[in-house]
Amino acid sequence: MSNTDQPDEQPLPTPAPAPSAVASPDEVTIRRAPKFGVFIVGGAVLGFLATLVVVALTMNLGGQRDQTSFGSLVGYFSLWGVTIGAFVGAVVAVVFDRVYARRSARLTAERVEVELPPETVDGELDEHGDQRP
């Protein structure tokens, strides 16, 4: 009989250890929440646009031509318009947050923590540089 007729005898690989999982129940709250930054910036932009419209409509109401330009009036009054608009946007976001908080739901969720076993490879070097058997 020749050596080619017999199958090579190689050691079977050892199966990898299974990961360990620990499950624990947790109570969670599910609700919608507004993005405050979007409301504040949106309110500031709307405040600027409202200032622009108000200054454009009221610039020549007195019948006399003032020495101030349109740009300087918009610049000055936009300080107030942007500030008030941002404040109103923040108040609207807080109101939405309170409304959504009332509609929240409490549920029980299962938290699963999976701990993977450390992988070892034949011939791998450990931390000190020694070769593992």
Side-chain angles (χ1 to χ4, degrees), residues 82-98:
V82 168
T83 304
I84 292 170
F87 179 74
V88 169
V91 168
V92 168
V94 168
V95 168
F96 279 160
D97 189 43
R98 299 293 179 190

Side-chain angles (χ1 to χ4, degrees), residues 15-127:
S20 61
V22 178
S24 61
D26 284 339
E27 191 168 313
V28 295
T29 302
I30 297 178
R31 69 180 186 103
R32 299 182 77 177
K35 293 183 179 182
F36 282 82
V38 172
F39 277 90
I40 292 171
V41 171
V45 168
L46 289 177
F48 176 75
L49 293 176
T51 301
L52 189 65
V53 169
V54 168
V55 169
L57 293 176
T58 61
M59 185 154 175
N60 293 322
L61 281 184
Q64 57 185 345
R65 180 81 174 143
D66 289 336
Q67 296 297 327
T68 56
S69 67
F70 178 75
S72 63
L73 285 174
V74 168
Y76 175 73
F77 286 112
S78 68
L79 294 174
W80 289 97
V82 168
T83 304
I84 292 170
F87 179 74
V88 169
V91 168
V92 168
V94 168
V95 168
F96 279 160
D97 189 43
R98 299 293 179 190
V99 168
Y100 289 146
R102 287 189 198 134
R103 295 181 183 177
S104 65
R106 306 243 344 131
L107 300 173
T108 302
E110 185 173 311
R111 179 185 306 256
V112 177
E113 295 180 24
V114 178
E115 200 171 299
L116 297 175
E119 289 188 31
T120 57
V121 178
D122 289 337
E124 181 178 322
L125 298 178
D126 64 2
E127 295 175 8

